[in-house]
């Protein structure tokens, strides 16, 4: 009998697990939030991932539960574990991915390098942090933010007063120093429940409007020291938090060559999309291997350089699919991945991967492919 993988969440990350699942002979099933989602190709159930009985019914006939996102409530996760269902990553690890304040405290306990930070619950606390950290800071909602949502740069306490006023009794916001970084990097690590791990090359990410726009793998100008430090941070976090599956650690590189942890994701991640076509084992196959405790695949690049460009928004005059023939004809070496989503300004609707030996040429060509999907 095929191993059965249940994925909670019907987004594009679940969609991109389907092809490697088929290749590995796995029975992949998806609990989608609603009909017509990106991973609808494998949706065997539709319902609310916050409802225990919905998730419990979905999980009953699979060998492992994994996720398209980190938002399944702790009580649901722990009930599944109590039922004897394998959940990877488990609730103890996801606890830190679901709340940025808890994440910061745990990373401090593990001795990981990170920006100065504090938990604040009123304007006085925020202003004190601003005064102590150069007069500008980043305020984040501890739960639920992604792609720039729930993040705000402030220079006075008044800039976040609406968030402060909306706090429930005992509620807190996370405030961090505004890091003077030279670039953003990401380190991915895959870890099995039995403990073995494999790290991918550290990559450079380019953000626009709080959304990942481009990824270069491996990160240019990454010497052995930077590579070793980034991998060490990723592995230490994966082991320290007990992560099973893929872990992405977003990093700031500073002018004085420090690496600081920015964010964590315990699932396949936008910074790893390049690996689908640029690594021996792509992150989506690797995640499936990891959560099933199968031997992990080689993470070495297939080419000197891989570049991923997100297709953001998509065309409004016609469909994304109608642009594919022109893109492929102009760039036969490109790989285009679409998410089955309707175009909308700023929305991630697909991405382009391209590999080669000349970085400037690969970047230019990848951008050229992505441009076919703009109006």
């Amino acid at each position: 009998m095929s191993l059965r993988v249940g994925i909670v969440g019907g987004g594009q990350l679940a969609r991109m697990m389907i092809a490697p699942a088929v290749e590995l002979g796995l029975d992949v099933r998806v609990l989608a939030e609603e009909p017509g989602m990106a991973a609808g190709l494998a949706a065997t159930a539709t319902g609310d991932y916050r409802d225990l009985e919905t998730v419990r019914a979905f999980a009953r006939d699979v060998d492992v539960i994994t996720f398209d996102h980190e938002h399944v409530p702790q009580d649901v996760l722990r009930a599944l574990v109590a039922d004897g269902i394998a959940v990877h990553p488990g609730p103890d690890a996801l606890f830190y991915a679901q709340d940025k304040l808890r994440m910061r405290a745990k990373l401090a306990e593990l001795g990981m390098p990170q920006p100065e930070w504090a938990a604040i619950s009123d304007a006085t606390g925020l202003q004190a942090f601003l005064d102590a950290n150069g007069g500008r800071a980043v305020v984040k909602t501890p739960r639920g933010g992604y792609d720039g949502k729930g993040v705000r740069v402030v220079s006075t306490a008044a800039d976040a007063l609406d968030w402060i006023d909306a706090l429930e009794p005992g509620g807190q916001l996370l405030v961090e120093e505004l890091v003077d970084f030279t670039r953003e990097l990401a380190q991915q690590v895959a870890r099995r429940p039995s403990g073995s791990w494999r790290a991918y090359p550290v990559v450079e990410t380019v953000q626009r409007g709080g959304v990942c726009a481009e990824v270069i793998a491996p990160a240019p100008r990454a010497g052995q020291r930077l590579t070793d430090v980034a991998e060490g941070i990723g592995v230490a976090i994966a082991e320290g938090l007990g992560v099973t599956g893929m872990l992405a650690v977003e990093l700031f590189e500073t002018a004085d060559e420090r690496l600081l942890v920015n964010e964590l994701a315990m699932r396949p991640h936008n910074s790893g999309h390049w690996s689908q076509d640029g690594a021996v084992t792509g992150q989506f196959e690797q995640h499936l291997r990891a959560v099933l405790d199968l031997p992990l695949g080689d993470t070495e690049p297939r080419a000197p350089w891989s570049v991923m460009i997100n297709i953001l928004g998509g065309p409004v005059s016609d469909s994304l699919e109608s642009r594919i023939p022109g893109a492929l004809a102009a760039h036969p070496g490109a790989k285009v991945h679409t998410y089955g989503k309707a175009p909308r300004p700023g929305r991630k609707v697909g991405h382009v991967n391209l590999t080669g030996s000349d970085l400037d040429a690969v970047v230019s060509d990848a951008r050229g492919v992505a441009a076919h999907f703009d109006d």
Side-chain angles (χ1 to χ4, degrees):
M1 178 185 293
S2 297
L3 291 171
R4 299 158 300 179
V5 179
I7 305 170
V8 178
Q12 66 260 25
L13 300 180
R15 178 188 180 95
M16 287 182 277
M17 290 187 222
I18 296 171
V22 171
E23 292 167 355
L24 288 171
L26 305 175
D27 179 359
V28 61
R29 307 176 185 188
V30 171
L31 172 61
E33 291 87 337
E34 56 190 39
M37 293 191 69
L41 294 167
T44 56
T46 303
D48 188 348
Y49 60 79
R50 297 165 297 187
D51 179 70
L52 172 58
E53 293 311 316
T54 296
V55 180
R56 181 178 265 153
F58 172 71
R60 191 169 291 130
D61 297 319
V62 301
D63 296 299
V64 64
I65 285 289
T66 192
F67 309 96
D68 172 81
H69 55 73
E70 293 105 337
H71 306 312
V72 180
Q74 279 286 314
D75 60 340
V76 173
L77 297 171
R78 295 187 184 278
L80 294 181
V81 172
D83 288 346
I85 295 164
V87 177
H88 295 297
D92 289 342
L94 284 168
F95 180 81
Y96 299 106
Q98 293 174 335
D99 189 302
K100 294 180 177 66
L101 278 169
R102 293 168 176 164
M103 176 198 78
R104 286 291 179 213
K106 185 64 175 180
L107 292 181
E109 181 184 315
L110 294 174
M112 293 295 101
Q114 52 183 337
E116 294 294 325
W117 65 279
I120 61 103
S121 56
D122 54 36
T124 301
L126 176 53
Q127 192 59 54
F129 186 90
L130 286 165
D131 294 342
N133 289 275
R136 298 185 77 204
V138 180
V139 178
K140 298 180 179 180
T141 54
R143 303 178 69 88
Y146 67 97
D147 285 348
K149 300 176 177 67
V151 178
R152 186 180 295 176
V153 176
V154 304
S155 53
T156 70
D159 294 336
L161 202 55
D162 56 334
W163 283 3
I164 292 171
D165 289 343
L167 288 173
E168 296 180 355
Q172 295 178 311
L173 295 171
L174 170 64
V175 57
E176 300 174 352
E177 69 170 302
L178 188 62
V179 176
D180 182 19
F181 61 88
T182 56
R183 61 175 173 169
E184 294 185 71
L185 304 171
Q187 175 67 58
Q188 283 193 301
V189 175
R191 183 174 178 272
R192 295 169 62 179
S194 54
S196 63
W197 57 267
R198 280 188 180 264
Y200 283 82
V202 64
V203 303
E204 180 174 334
T205 66
V206 178
Q207 316 290 320
R208 297 198 182 102
V211 178
C212 181
E214 301 182 2
V215 174
I216 300 173
R221 308 176 306 283
Q224 193 62 51
R225 175 187 169 278
L226 184 148
T227 300
D228 290 346
V229 171
E231 180 176 304
I233 290 171
V235 173
I237 293 173
E239 294 189 329
L241 302 186
V243 179
T244 47
M246 289 299 305
L247 167 72
V249 182
E250 298 181 56
L251 300 160
F252 294 130
E253 183 181 14
T254 66
D256 56 358
E257 299 185 335
R258 291 179 301 144
L259 294 182
L260 303 176
V261 177
N262 179 24
E263 302 272 4
L264 304 180
M266 297 178 190
R267 51 174 168 75
H269 189 256
N270 206 159
S271 64
H273 289 354
W274 70 274
S275 66
Q276 285 176 291
D277 306 297
V280 174
T281 310
Q283 67 164 343
F284 297 100
E285 177 182 340
Q286 194 80 291
H287 184 74
L288 293 169
R289 290 192 188 202
V291 300
L292 287 164
D293 210 12
L294 297 173
L296 298 175
D298 193 339
T299 56
E300 287 298 304
R302 291 182 176 274
W305 299 106
S306 296
V307 174
M308 188 284 307
I309 309 289
N310 269 330
I311 301 171
L312 299 173
V316 295
S317 59
D318 52 14
S319 69
L320 199 69
E321 290 71 24
S322 69
R323 304 292 183 92
I324 291 177
L328 298 183
H331 302 276
K335 298 292 186 179
V336 177
H337 300 267
T338 62
Y339 302 161
K341 291 181 170 183
R344 190 175 70 204
R347 190 183 203 188
K348 293 177 183 175
V349 294
H351 67 269
V352 171
N353 284 335
L354 203 63
T355 62
S357 57
D358 184 305
L359 178 57
D360 290 341
V362 177
V363 171
S364 176
D365 287 348
R367 289 173 178 170
V369 181
H372 280 270
F373 301 94
D374 293 334
D375 277 336

